[in-house]
Amino acid sequence: MQLISAKGIVFFLFLAVSVCRPALASDQVQTGSTAAGGWFMPTSLQRVYQALADHNMLLAWQELRIVLQQSKAPVAPDLWRPVFQQLINQSDCGRRLTEYPGAMSDWVHQPRISLSIQDKVNLSQRVYQLKLSIDGASKPVAVSLTDSRGNQWLSGATSAPEEGYSELESREWFQSVPEGYYQLNIGEKHYPLILASLQETARAPAIELQQTEKNTAGVFVFSPDLSADRNACQRQRLQWQWFDSDYQLATPAETIALDAKGHGVPPRDRPDNVNWLSAVVADSYFQGAIKIENVHRLTVPVRYILTD
């Protein structure tokens, strides 16, 4: 039987997962159980492709985690990201990718946990930071986030809860947080995660600033991906945020409207006593009960972007 080429695998999988049903924990994949058996080239992702072709979403997710966790040579994100996106898209934005102990209804009143991967740009530098937040916390808890090589990216205890909200931020880096497998530990609970970008052009900046002419307002330019047609798991959150001199949010966030060229001209009505304006682009997905959010923030002083 002729093997499918690497380029043909992605096309085949798009066809296969388009008719996938959510996998149940009791589903079992038998060797050669579909006509796709033996079609996939013997790569590290072969078992992932086979599980997808067999309509077993949960097994495909488990196999992808194993590959990213245990491969001796790192697998390039460009190879596994399309599969990851299909798994997210076909599982209620990732909510059904984890087997919950007990009934799903038992998790409704559990604390809501979010992991934010932040890409922060201003006029002088670009830094990256992680923030874990818990809504519904009753006390501080120990947190750690470790990649497949044992590098720790987040470690410490969350803050004392205020009205049930608690958080922990990492230090800032000048390098981006790598895509791949991570182990998140919160107290005594352990969550295997895959962190990835949902942008089609992950390396393209989500936001850039262009100063058009002297003495005119600058224009925020957004990635063309943001105006493309997306499914419910890939919608972007676009917001303007005004901050005071202490970098505290001065007014409620405003939704950004893009023109046909992808430009977002900042609002002319400036609130009183504000010093900074941020444009924020964020996408999010889930892995079971954990919400993962990729946040891109461009911040400039208001004197730079607004003129009289």
Side-chain angles (χ1 to χ4, degrees):
M1 181 178 295
Q2 185 177 3
L3 296 177
I4 299 177
S5 67
K7 290 183 179 179
I9 287 176
V10 173
F11 176 74
F12 178 90
L13 288 175
F14 284 153
L15 293 178
V17 299
S18 65
V19 295
C20 280
R21 55 176 172 80
L24 301 176
S26 60
D27 286 347
Q28 299 294 327
V29 174
Q30 304 295 329
T31 302
S33 60
T34 71
W39 282 7
F40 302 114
M41 298 181 69
T43 68
S44 58
L45 295 172
Q46 183 183 31
R47 292 171 66 91
V48 182
Y49 298 146
Q50 183 63 59
L52 273 177
D54 285 328
H55 300 181
N56 195 324
M57 194 70 61
L58 184 57
L59 180 59
W61 181 251
Q62 293 168 345
E63 292 288 358
L64 181 58
R65 288 201 329 240
I66 291 172
V67 168
L68 298 183
Q69 180 185 12
Q70 299 181 359
S71 291
K72 295 181 180 179
V75 182
D78 288 349
L79 297 179
W80 59 261
R81 194 186 300 114
V83 178
F84 170 85
Q85 291 177 325
Q86 284 300 310
L87 289 167
I88 293 294
N89 294 344
Q90 296 291 326
S91 59
D92 190 18
C93 298
R95 293 178 180 87
R96 294 199 300 258
L97 288 176
T98 299
E99 292 183 80
Y100 294 89
M104 278 288 282
S105 58
D106 296 338
W107 288 74
V108 173
H109 301 295
Q110 293 295 314
R112 292 180 294 278
I113 301 171
S114 298
L115 178 64
S116 174
I117 307 166
Q118 303 185 35
D119 172 8
K120 302 190 293 186
V121 183
N122 58 34
L123 298 182
S124 61
Q125 66 179 10
R126 181 175 193 168
V127 296
Y128 301 87
Q129 189 176 35
L130 290 168
K131 182 175 77 171
L132 183 126
S133 61
I134 303 176
D135 190 2
S138 59
K139 62 181 180 179
V141 293
V143 172
S144 67
L145 182 71
T146 308
D147 65 23
S148 60
R149 296 186 173 186
N151 300 313
Q152 202 163 68
W153 291 83
L154 183 63
S155 179
T158 57
S159 59
E162 295 185 10
E163 297 182 355
Y165 179 83
S166 183
E167 66 179 32
L168 173 65
E169 290 185 329
S170 72
R171 62 183 178 87
E172 294 178 341
W173 306 282
F174 291 106
Q175 69 178 93
S176 61
V177 178
E179 297 178 90
Y181 174 87
Y182 288 81
Q183 179 75 31
L184 174 64
N185 300 319
I186 302 177
E188 297 181 353
K189 295 185 178 180
H190 310 288
Y191 304 91
L193 301 177
I194 296 176
L195 303 185
S197 172
L198 295 186
Q199 281 187 265
E200 294 177 9
T201 53
R203 297 182 182 86
I207 323 167
E208 292 183 295
L209 183 68
Q210 290 184 357
Q211 192 73 7
T212 54
E213 297 177 6
K214 188 176 181 179
N215 298 325
T216 65
V219 176
F220 287 82
V221 181
F222 296 81
S223 167
D225 280 352
L226 303 184
S227 57
D229 291 335
R230 296 177 175 274
N231 60 39
C233 298
Q234 293 177 304
R235 290 176 181 169
Q236 305 283 343
R237 173 168 60 87
L238 282 71
Q239 292 181 330
W240 298 120
Q241 293 180 347
W242 299 97
F243 294 92
D244 61 20
S245 58
D246 296 324
Y247 209 72
Q248 298 297 311
L249 192 64
T251 62
E254 304 173 40
T255 300
I256 296 174
L258 302 181
D259 63 19
K261 296 181 179 179
H263 295 170
V265 180
R268 290 289 182 177
D269 296 331
R270 181 177 63 183
D272 295 333
N273 302 319
V274 294
N275 294 71
W276 307 92
L277 176 64
S278 287
V280 177
V281 174
D283 62 52
S284 61
Y285 56 93
F286 290 82
Q287 287 181 41
I290 308 295
K291 180 180 180 180
I292 311 294
E293 189 171 41
N294 294 306
V295 180
H296 306 271
R297 177 185 298 276
L298 175 58
T299 303
V300 297
V302 293
R303 66 179 183 274
Y304 180 87
I305 195 67
L306 297 176
T307 59
D308 296 328

